[in-house]
Amino acid sequence: MLNAGPPFQPDPDRVVFDRKELGLILTTYGRFVAAGEWRDYAMSFLRDAAVFSVFRRAAEHPLYRIEKRPKLRAAQGAYAVIGMDGRVLKRGPDLAQVLRVLDAKLIRPVD
């Protein structure tokens, strides 16, 4: 029998998305995938930030980055949506509210 090793221990030196945050992000991601806008994503868990990057194609630069930076919680808010050009599109303390900036990108006129 294989020994699975010790139970998973989160790295206290890394910022991560919790289950609720990831659920909100993946719900938004799923809507854009269903609309054919996004096709891939990547997650990075760093010392000062957790980053969820979305791509139109896997070989491109990310269209958007959804970041969690707990050190900015008191000043500007821990969450931000950042565009491909590095511009902060929305920042705030509530992830659901910050993600709403992407809703306008999903609405298209019907021909």
Side-chain angles (χ1 to χ4, degrees), residues 25-110:
I25 293 168
L26 289 174
T27 297
T28 300
Y29 176 78
R31 289 194 343 254
F32 277 84
V33 168
E37 294 292 317
W38 296 350
R39 287 193 171 66
D40 202 4
Y41 71 90
M43 289 189 283
S44 301
F45 304 109
L46 311 169
R47 290 188 187 283
D48 61 339
V51 182
F52 186 97
S53 303
V54 294
F55 301 85
R56 188 170 314 213
R57 289 177 199 80
E60 293 183 349
H61 293 287
L63 293 172
Y64 300 101
R65 292 188 331 262
I66 301 162
E67 295 187 356
K68 174 183 177 181
R69 294 185 179 271
K71 289 184 179 179
L72 296 178
R73 184 177 324 144
Q76 304 167 2
Y79 304 103
V81 173
I82 300 169
M84 185 173 18
D85 58 358
R87 196 169 31 117
V88 176
L89 303 177
K90 181 84 172 172
R91 182 182 301 277
D94 179 19
L95 179 59
Q97 185 70 28
V98 170
L99 289 174
R100 287 193 188 119
V101 73
L102 296 171
D103 290 341
K105 312 286 184 200
L106 193 57
I107 298 170
R108 290 194 200 144
V110 178

